[in-house]
Amino acid sequence: MSDGRPASPEVYRYYQQLLKDHWLENGICWTVVVPDDGKPLALTEIGERVSGGASHTIHEAARFEDDYSDEGAWAVLVGQSGSVTELFEYNGFRGVHPQVLPRLSAGARAYSVYWNVNANNRVSFAADGETLLMVDAMYPERWVHEPNLARWPELMDMAPNFRWRRGKSWRAAALATIELTTGARLSLEWLDQERPYLTCQDPVVD
């Protein structure tokens, strides 16, 4: 790639290795927000957008091993690199929720991938407060009916690697698509670092 980022095959192979025999295969939700003005979102703004204004708590940096499971119905780890914000959930799908992703994309582009142990999944893209694309990663042949598919060229380029019936890894392809689009990389080192996190017991509100 001309901007110095790794090429698509390399990124895809990286995520194949990351997921191999790892618990990440069972379920994650990874959301990356790229603001239009190049200014990173403040933690308070992230909390408002994720919770929809519901009561929520921003916690000091902690490792995943720290027990915060009883502090809220959901917990979201928050990481930032430059202007890009990454949200990670081990057991939930807050980031890809049809009410949350548009809020995260206000004045920005927001990309999210989610799957659970039953292979329920979504790969989604929102911009300027509107969800533009939300597809099932296991059935790329159905994407041709999506009117906004051309607005996510990295997903179109990666589409052959979603074909699990041909031995490909749709999970690796989904993660690779997010990295190729945003430049953010999910790694075990990223997950191992202490990070601020959000918790809330209230349901998502409009």
Side-chain angles (χ1 to χ4, degrees):
M1 299 176 65
S2 59
D3 61 1
R5 295 182 187 177
S8 298
E10 179 184 342
V11 176
Y12 172 72
R13 288 193 296 269
Y14 165 80
Y15 285 108
Q16 280 184 302
Q17 289 300 118
L18 179 73
L19 294 171
K20 187 176 181 180
D21 300 322
H22 197 278
W23 60 261
L24 288 169
E25 288 188 323
N26 296 326
I28 64 170
C29 183
W30 185 39
T31 305
V32 180
V33 183
V34 184
D36 295 336
D37 61 7
K39 298 178 181 178
L41 296 174
L43 277 175
T44 53
E45 178 67 15
I46 296 168
E48 286 291 321
R49 294 188 183 196
V50 172
S51 69
S55 176
H56 62 278
T57 303
I58 299 174
H59 298 264
E60 296 294 328
R63 293 167 60 91
F64 173 62
E65 290 81 4
D66 295 340
D67 183 12
Y68 53 65
S69 59
D70 60 349
E71 295 182 21
W74 53 265
V76 180
L77 295 177
V78 181
Q80 290 182 306
S81 177
S83 64
V84 174
T85 295
E86 297 178 64
L87 307 176
F88 186 89
E89 301 166 74
Y90 290 89
N91 186 23
F93 55 99
R94 202 78 177 184
V96 79
H97 196 283
Q99 294 170 310
V100 174
L101 196 66
R103 292 199 296 258
L104 287 170
S105 76
R109 293 173 289 121
Y111 303 88
S112 189
V113 55
Y114 151 78
W115 65 76
N116 66 15
V117 69
N118 296 317
N120 294 320
N121 74 87
R122 285 296 182 269
V123 180
S124 306
F125 164 42
D128 297 324
E130 179 184 1
T131 297
L132 299 176
L133 194 64
M134 184 175 287
V135 298
D136 189 321
M138 296 185 68
Y139 300 102
E141 64 275 9
R142 299 177 183 174
W143 300 352
V144 295
H145 304 296
E146 297 290 339
N148 291 317
L149 184 61
R151 298 186 65 172
W152 198 350
E154 294 85 0
L155 181 65
M156 295 173 64
D157 291 344
M158 187 58 61
N161 291 310
F162 283 85
R163 298 188 179 279
W164 55 274
R165 291 188 180 92
R166 299 180 183 178
K168 301 295 185 177
S169 170
W170 60 266
R171 293 177 178 85
L175 295 176
T177 299
I178 301 293
E179 175 174 334
L180 290 165
T181 305
T182 67
R185 168 162 286 194
L186 185 64
S187 68
L188 298 183
E189 291 77 16
W190 191 96
L191 296 173
D192 193 48
Q193 293 175 9
E194 291 190 348
R195 299 193 177 281
Y197 65 96
L198 309 168
T199 58
C200 178
Q201 293 185 344
D202 295 323
V204 176
V205 296
D206 291 325

